[in-house]
């Protein structure tokens, strides 16, 4: 079954979409596409995490968004004659359904439900961009970090009866910095503060969340 908005598609529509694409696989650190690449393929992320970024002044990487399963990458491919205009970097072992522009158009004509799902997913992602921008403006880094940890937790499933949840994905301090728009040094300090407050425990690229309520409260007020 396809993830995200595409999971609600009828079986025949999902079959059309799967038949139109091919599976692509990338390891951590590999690029799915570059800014100058012609936008001829749409990527439906089925597993893993991908970071979209551009290069700013002094070749500084500016993270635009971080996406998980169900997300559409390379949205400019929905229009003709576009370029991706950004980098897409795999932050973990990643798989995506890669659908060429022409085949996507045919599949959407064959099954109008596919076009509806595409619109719904793009709308979700646009809302996510707006929320991210609002967070960068109105929330402190500690609040954004707590939100990011809770978002990662949602992908893992249910919390244990003891009230803990271990994040299975490899998440480095730099990964979290990209997600919340901060620096690795700031994130390292804040994770230490979170641990001292009993909100989580840390291991090598492993984070165990230990206080869901505390993290939820941390999203409401900056850490002092």
């Amino acid at each position: 079954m396809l993830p995200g908005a595409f999971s609600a598609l009828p079986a025949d529509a999902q079959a059309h979409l799967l038949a139109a694409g091919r599976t692509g696989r990338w390891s951590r650190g590999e690029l799915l596409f570059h800014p100058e690449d012609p936008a001829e393929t749409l990527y439906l992320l089925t597993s893993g995490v991908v970071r979209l970024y551009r290069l700013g002044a002094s070749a500084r990487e500016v993270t635009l968004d971080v996406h998980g399963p169900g997300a559409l990458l390379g949205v400019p491919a929905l229009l003709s004659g576009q370029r991706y205009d950004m980098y897409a970097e795999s932050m973990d072992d990643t798989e995506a359904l890669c659908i060429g522009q022409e085949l996507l158009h045919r599949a959407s004509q064959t099954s109008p439900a596919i076009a509806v799902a595409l619109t719904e997913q793009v709308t979700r992602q646009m809302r996510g961009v707006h929320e991210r921008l609002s967070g960068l403006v109105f929330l402190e880094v500690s609040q954004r970090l707590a939100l990011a940890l809770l978002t990662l937790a949602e992908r893992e499933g249910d919390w244990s009866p003891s009230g803990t949840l271990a994040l299975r994905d490899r998440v480095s301090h730099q990964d979290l910095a990209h997600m919340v728009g901060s620096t690795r040094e700031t994130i390292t300090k804040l994770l230490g503060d979170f641990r001292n407050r009993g909100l989580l425990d840390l291991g090598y690229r492993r984070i165990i969340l230990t206080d869901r309520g505390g993290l939820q409260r941390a999203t409401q007020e900056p850490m002092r």
Side-chain angles (χ1 to χ4, degrees), residues 76-144:
L78 293 172
L79 302 174
S80 300
Q82 305 295 308
R83 297 186 182 277
Y84 290 118
D85 200 30
M86 64 186 70
Y87 294 92
E89 178 190 25
S90 174
M91 296 176 67
D92 205 345
D93 293 338
T94 295
E95 289 190 5
L97 182 65
C98 311
I99 312 170
Q101 204 170 58
E102 185 175 343
L103 290 174
L104 179 64
H105 180 65
R106 290 179 186 172
S108 298
Q109 285 186 323
T110 302
S111 177
I114 292 176
V116 173
L118 286 169
T119 302
E120 180 181 340
Q121 185 60 39
V122 170
T123 302
R124 285 184 185 181
Q125 291 178 204
M126 287 300 298
R127 185 167 61 245
V129 170
H130 294 158
E131 291 174 354
R132 175 179 169 80
L133 290 174
S134 296
L136 289 172
V137 173
F138 297 112
L139 299 180
E140 297 292 337
V141 179
S142 63
Q143 294 172 282
R144 301 201 300 269

Side-chain angles (χ1 to χ4, degrees), residues 16-32:
H16 276 128
L17 203 55
L18 288 167
R22 59 176 178 81
T23 299
R25 296 179 176 86
W26 298 265
S27 299
R28 180 183 176 88
E30 289 189 310
L31 294 175
L32 284 70

Side-chain angles (χ1 to χ4, degrees), residues 43-222:
Y43 300 80
L44 171 55
L45 192 57
T46 53
S47 68
V49 180
V50 172
R51 176 173 72 106
L52 303 179
Y53 70 93
R54 290 177 178 156
L55 295 181
S58 302
R60 175 175 172 267
E61 295 181 2
V62 179
T63 299
L64 304 174
D65 214 337
V66 176
H67 289 298
L72 290 173
L73 308 176
V75 172
L78 293 172
L79 302 174
S80 300
Q82 305 295 308
R83 297 186 182 277
Y84 290 118
D85 200 30
M86 64 186 70
Y87 294 92
E89 178 190 25
S90 174
M91 296 176 67
D92 205 345
D93 293 338
T94 295
E95 289 190 5
L97 182 65
C98 311
I99 312 170
Q101 204 170 58
E102 185 175 343
L103 290 174
L104 179 64
H105 180 65
R106 290 179 186 172
S108 298
Q109 285 186 323
T110 302
S111 177
I114 292 176
V116 173
L118 286 169
T119 302
E120 180 181 340
Q121 185 60 39
V122 170
T123 302
R124 285 184 185 181
Q125 291 178 204
M126 287 300 298
R127 185 167 61 245
V129 170
H130 294 158
E131 291 174 354
R132 175 179 169 80
L133 290 174
S134 296
L136 289 172
V137 173
F138 297 112
L139 299 180
E140 297 292 337
V141 179
S142 63
Q143 294 172 282
R144 301 201 300 269
L145 177 57
L147 277 171
L149 292 171
L150 289 170
T151 299
L152 290 171
E154 288 179 6
R155 300 176 186 168
E156 299 290 345
D158 296 330
W159 292 63
S160 71
S162 62
T164 64
L165 187 148
L167 301 180
R168 291 190 296 267
D169 293 335
R170 295 177 299 168
V171 182
S172 70
H173 294 190
Q174 186 61 63
D175 292 339
L176 288 170
H178 287 319
M179 294 177 72
V180 304
S182 185
T183 64
R184 181 179 58 80
E185 293 77 11
T186 297
I187 295 302
T188 297
K189 180 182 182 301
L190 283 172
L191 287 173
D193 291 342
F194 280 21
R195 178 175 58 185
N196 292 339
R197 293 170 183 251
L199 303 181
L200 52 80
D201 197 7
L202 298 171
Y204 177 68
R205 284 197 174 178
R206 180 175 174 82
I207 299 175
I208 302 172
L209 307 182
T210 55
D211 186 350
R212 185 179 189 179
L215 284 169
Q216 290 172 335
R217 289 189 293 275
T219 68
Q220 303 300 317
E221 295 183 5

